[in-house]
Amino acid sequence: MTAASPVPALDRIRVGSAPDSWGVWFPDDPQQVPWQRFLDEVAEAGYEWIELGPYGYLPSDPARLTEEVGRRNLKVSAGTVFTALHRGPGVWDATWEHVSEVAGLTQAMGARHLVVIPAFWRDDKTAELIEPPQLTAEQWRHLSTGMERLGRQVRERFGLDIVVHPHADTHIDGEENVARFLDSTDSDVVSLCLDTGHYAYCGGDSVKLIETYGERIGYLHLKQVDPEILADVVKNGVPFGPAVQRGVMCEPPDGVPALEPVLAAAQKLGVDLFAIVEQDMYPCPPDKPFPIAQRTRRFLRSCGA
């Protein structure tokens, strides 16, 4: 009988979690847990790093937030912004106003990354179609040049790197659109936040993406999808919000993609990367997230993270 091989240490991967894993999608919603409970439970579950989540959910005063995360031995890895830069220069001023608020707090918390989520083409609460799912050539140019401008200005003004998040029901989603976006943007100013769950939801292979575009991977979100629920969602054209309510995003290691090869591929890049756990569960019972967070942290430790 041979001894089991030791799990390789993923010493370039820094694991964290986010309000999303506690069912938080909006700054204020009665169906969500209070922010104090999120901070208490994410620390108790064994995480050191968190994201800010939707701006306004956690305290937006830097002094107060520093005190709240510090006394729980937590640190902030990133803030998150939502953009619609494909709509052209006319949206820049409003975009920059929103970005500046979030980036200012992110910088004050000592973080170095700003996760940029492109606009949904469905309403995030009603799932109503509000824009065509495909961009025109002109809109692709607006999106690419707008993201480059955003990356430069965020770095110059706040010292942060933007990491663009491919997301279901947005124009940057699966392999084809992610490749098009990466190939049309400057690698010096635009990197990717690879969300393993969203990428699988949209038919993508996370390991292949890391191996093909490794220099563009600046940040990770760890997430899995339930393949049986996903097959039904795809077959019936179910929007992302209702799909989440069906449980399409599931607890690791029960879904796809397998996270061990994703983490191994990321480790091989030879750069320090945050890997932030997210399990979309909006809305969910308030007592559901904490035990899942504990089990997920134990699972990731078993992977060497």
Side-chain angles (χ1 to χ4, degrees), residues 11 129 142 205 289:
D11 59 357
L129 193 69
H142 288 322
D205 181 330

Side-chain angles (χ1 to χ4, degrees), residues 20 55 95 117 127 129 134 181 194 258 263 301:
D20 183 59
Y55 183 75
T95 301
I117 299 179
L129 193 69
Q134 301 298 326
F181 175 73
L194 169 58
L263 291 166
R301 286 196 182 98

Side-chain angles (χ1 to χ4, degrees), residues 81 83 85 113-119 143-144 146-148 150-151 161-167 170-173 178 181-182 185 189-195 209 216-219 221:
V81 296
T83 60
L85 294 170
H113 295 90
L114 195 65
V115 177
V116 181
I117 299 179
L143 177 61
S144 300
M147 284 295 187
E148 289 176 337
L150 189 70
D161 291 328
I162 69 166
V163 285
V164 179
H165 183 323
H167 197 292
T170 77
H171 299 107
I172 306 176
D173 48 10
V178 168
F181 175 73
L182 291 175
T185 49
V189 291
V190 179
S191 294
L192 207 67
C193 169
L194 169 58
D195 184 303
L209 182 66
R216 304 298 297 275
I217 307 298
Y219 200 90
H221 280 172

Side-chain angles (χ1 to χ4, degrees), residues 12-287:
R12 306 306 293 265
I13 308 297
R14 290 171 286 182
V15 171
S17 192
D20 183 59
S21 291
W22 268 256
V24 175
W25 276 12
F26 303 101
D28 184 32
D29 189 303
Q31 298 185 88
Q32 299 175 169
V33 297
W35 62 265
Q36 296 93 333
R37 179 170 180 175
F38 160 68
L39 290 179
D40 289 342
E41 292 187 350
V42 74
E44 190 177 345
Y47 296 96
E48 296 179 28
W49 294 93
I50 60 165
E51 289 184 2
L52 295 178
Y55 183 75
Y57 174 67
L58 294 177
S60 56
D61 174 66
R64 185 178 184 198
L65 185 56
T66 297
E67 178 186 354
E68 294 287 353
V69 300
R71 65 187 181 88
R72 296 172 173 89
N73 296 313
L74 296 169
K75 294 172 284 188
V76 175
S77 62
T80 301
V81 296
F82 294 85
T83 60
L85 294 170
H86 68 284
R87 295 175 188 163
V91 302
W92 176 261
D93 288 347
T95 301
W96 184 248
E97 182 179 0
H98 165 60
V99 168
S100 295
E101 273 192 321
V102 181
L105 180 59
T106 304
Q107 179 191 44
M109 298 309 297
R112 293 295 309 276
H113 295 90
L114 195 65
V115 177
V116 181
I117 299 179
F120 297 168
W121 40 263
R122 293 187 191 272
D123 185 275
D124 57 3
K125 284 198 170 180
T126 68
E128 176 189 2
L129 193 69
I130 54 177
E131 285 191 80
Q134 301 298 326
L135 296 179
T136 66
E138 181 182 35
Q139 288 174 320
W140 270 110
R141 286 194 296 274
H142 288 322
L143 177 61
S144 300
T145 58
M147 284 295 187
E148 289 176 337
R149 181 183 181 187
L150 189 70
R152 291 189 182 97
Q153 290 199 197
V154 165
R155 184 177 292 169
E156 290 169 5
R157 172 67 179 82
F158 299 100
L160 306 176
D161 291 328
I162 69 166
V163 285
V164 179
H165 183 323
H167 197 292
D169 287 0
T170 77
H171 299 107
I172 306 176
D173 48 10
E175 288 187 358
E176 182 179 352
N177 285 336
V178 168
R180 180 171 182 172
F181 175 73
L182 291 175
D183 291 344
S184 64
T185 49
D186 184 347
S187 61
D188 288 338
V189 291
V190 179
S191 294
L192 207 67
C193 169
L194 169 58
D195 184 303
T196 60
H198 280 279
Y199 202 54
Y201 183 101
C202 298
D205 181 330
S206 289
V207 172
K208 178 183 174 184
L209 182 66
I210 293 170
E211 292 176 348
T212 306
Y213 287 97
E215 75 285 355
R216 304 298 297 275
I217 307 298
Y219 200 90
L220 296 172
H221 280 172
L222 301 181
K223 187 180 296 179
Q224 287 190 323
V225 296
D226 181 311
E228 291 187 5
I229 297 176
L230 178 62
D232 185 68
V233 162
V234 172
K235 178 182 177 182
N236 293 294
V238 178
F240 180 67
V244 167
Q245 293 179 31
R246 293 187 185 191
V248 72
M249 297 298 179
C250 62
E251 178 180 344
D254 298 336
V256 296
L259 294 181
E260 296 93 333
V262 172
L263 291 166
Q267 172 75 15
K268 287 179 184 176
L269 295 176
V271 296
D272 292 332
L273 285 173
F274 282 107
I276 304 301
V277 175
E278 287 194 328
Q279 184 180 341
D280 293 310
M281 293 192 292
Y282 176 87
C284 70
D287 294 333

